[in-house]
Amino acid sequence: MLIKIRKASDIRPSEITSHSAYLERRRFLKAGVSAFAGLGLARAGIAEAAIQRGPGKLEAIPDIRETGYRPEESVTEYEHITTYNNFYEFGTDKSDPHRNAGKLNTRPWTIVVDGECEEPGEIGIEEILSGFAQEERIYRLRCVEAWSMVVPWVGVPLADLLKRFKPTSSARYVAFETLLDPKQMPGQRVPVLPWPYREGLRIDEATHPLSLIATGLYGEVLPNQNGAPLRLVVPWKYGFKSIKSIVRISFTRDEPEAAWNKQNPREYGFYSNVNPDVDHPRWSQKYHRVIGAGLFAGKEKTLPFNGYADEVADLYAGMDLRKYF
Ligand SMILES: Nc1nc2c(c(=O)[nH]1)N[C@H]1C(S)=C(S)[C@@H](COP(=O)(O)O)O[C@H]1N2
Ligand SMILES: [Mo]
């Protein structure tokens, strides 16, 4: 169950493939799974085979750079990733976002970047898609509700995006905000959360190489229910930190407010690092259900920092993780 991750700096130029080559290789690998079995490559083969393009309903993202960011587990099927969602702006049932998010208009889409930085401004989704190298990042997503999946994201390291706005030394945190538009997001007419949905990270968390701004999954642009046109992905934290459909990013001096933390600070901490040793007040966090594994599959053990401890534990050296949960 160990998650082996190569550092981004280990990427070889030969791994930067064109999208068509990427799709070709996927097809080849899919056909070749059985041939790989028994060569010690079976697990990797299975993971690779699962990563084809989505069903082709959405625009393909060109020139995706492959990276070594991939867990050993099988990738969750597109069908599950796009029909079992949390996106309360479109309803609180897992199937609501898939049914209701189609109405969201994601073009044009502008993100305002402001606060403690030298060059505040705006950036459009088209510029993020064309002006930054798009990387494949296969990450586990562990929801605080004790379920988990493995998602083949496409996106841009958050650090690369933030750099462009030149944060100053006063920027100790980064705050994120989702679109506020009850016309398009009917769930916002119900006060289940303090709208707009907001989240925040410490600046060192935000600029950690694992932190990603996702623009797509399975090689295509994000389906609306997964947070189109761009959302945060912080794989070592509970899923609710990975805020969807972002319209504002602000550099701040003080810890920013976050929707779930504001709604119930006892249950949802600001840090919310995945931690099997700190239970949610109403349920255990020691195990999780694997989405798509089938009705009779057993639960899986939850790992500290969702299996990314080698990469991120240093960020919290000396901190009492029961207090800062
Ligand atoms: N704006 C917004 N972002 C959100 C949520 C939400 O309700 N609204 N739900 C969060 C939760 S609880 C989880 S588990 C993940 C789910 O992401 P997915 O639907 O792509 O799997 O999105 C997070 N981001
Ligand atoms: Mo979640």
Side-chain angles (χ1 to χ4, degrees):
M1 217 50 63
L2 272 180
I3 294 174
K4 289 199 204 94
I5 286 179
R6 277 187 296 150
K7 298 276 150 48
S9 52
D10 296 342
I11 299 163
R12 296 181 301 265
S14 62
E15 289 175 272
I16 303 167
T17 52
S18 73
H19 190 56
S20 56
Y22 164 91
L23 296 177
E24 262 324 299
R25 240 192 72 202
R26 295 290 184 231
R27 266 182 227 115
F28 167 75
L29 281 162
K30 193 181 184 194
V33 179
S34 51
F36 284 113
L39 292 172
L41 291 168
R43 289 205 67 148
I46 289 160
E48 291 267 2
I51 313 151
Q52 305 164 67
R53 245 192 67 187
K57 282 187 224 149
L58 298 171
E59 191 189 325
I61 298 179
D63 304 321
I64 297 165
R65 177 199 288 196
E66 286 191 42
T67 65
Y69 292 98
R70 57 175 66 241
E72 289 183 348
E73 293 95 323
S74 300
V75 176
T76 305
E77 279 174 38
Y78 185 89
E79 169 81 12
H80 293 300
I81 294 173
T82 57
T83 60
Y84 187 92
N85 300 99
N86 274 332
F87 199 170
Y88 278 18
E89 284 85 340
F90 296 101
T92 56
D93 281 356
K94 294 289 179 283
S95 60
D96 284 338
H98 169 244
R99 283 190 286 115
N100 302 333
K103 294 172 199 140
L104 179 66
N105 183 11
T106 61
R107 300 292 155 93
W109 189 280
T110 308
I111 301 95
V112 173
V113 183
D114 60 8
E116 305 291 340
C117 58
E118 284 170 29
E119 294 180 11
E122 294 185 351
I123 187 164
I125 181 61
E126 302 291 1
E127 198 185 337
I128 291 175
L129 281 166
S130 63
F132 292 84
Q134 304 294 310
E135 298 187 7
E136 177 192 79
R137 299 282 187 106
I138 305 168
Y139 286 158
R140 295 173 98 194
L141 176 82
R142 170 55 159 86
C143 176
V144 74
E145 300 163 331
W147 54 262
S148 185
M149 40 178 126
V150 179
V151 185
W153 302 109
V154 181
V156 175
L158 176 59
D160 292 354
L161 179 67
L162 297 182
K163 231 186 286 167
R164 200 178 266 206
F165 301 90
K166 302 212 168 91
T168 67
S169 56
S170 305
R172 294 176 57 228
Y173 295 88
V174 187
F176 303 85
E177 213 172 282
T178 296
L179 177 69
L180 178 65
D181 185 352
K183 276 207 185 98
Q184 292 196 80
M185 296 177 147
Q188 290 178 336
R189 296 175 211 154
V190 189
V192 282
L193 281 172
W195 308 114
Y197 197 103
R198 286 185 293 163
E199 259 309 335
L201 296 171
R202 241 171 35 194
I203 190 89
D204 58 340
E205 298 177 319
T207 55
H208 188 279
L210 284 174
S211 294
L212 187 75
I213 283 290
T215 52
L217 60 84
Y218 268 99
E220 298 176 0
V221 295
L222 282 178
N224 287 356
Q225 61 269 34
N226 293 92
L230 84 171
R231 56 93 59 86
L232 182 64
V233 180
V234 193
W236 71 93
K237 293 177 179 283
Y238 291 120
F240 68 85
K241 296 294 289 184
S242 294
I243 180 172
K244 296 176 170 181
S245 305
I246 297 166
V247 292
R248 185 187 210 96
I249 300 177
S250 309
F251 297 101
T252 67
R253 288 168 189 264
D254 301 318
E255 190 179 286
E257 283 186 348
W260 278 104
N261 179 245
K262 213 174 167 201
Q263 197 241 38
N264 195 337
R266 221 175 54 86
E267 298 194 351
Y268 308 103
F270 175 79
Y271 283 91
S272 283
N273 294 314
V274 174
N275 190 343
D277 297 329
V278 176
D279 287 337
H280 186 278
R282 292 182 279 134
W283 59 83
S284 164
Q285 293 292 24
K286 287 195 168 42
Y287 296 89
H288 54 253
R289 252 177 342 114
V290 177
I291 300 302
L295 225 44
F296 305 105
K299 290 194 173 179
E300 213 174 55
K301 237 184 162 130
T302 295
L303 297 172
F305 300 104
N306 203 22
Y308 300 96
D310 285 354
E311 280 72 30
V312 300
D314 281 358
L315 294 172
Y316 311 101
M319 276 175 71
D320 177 355
L321 297 181
R322 290 183 172 276
K323 185 173 172 206
Y324 298 99
F325 65 94

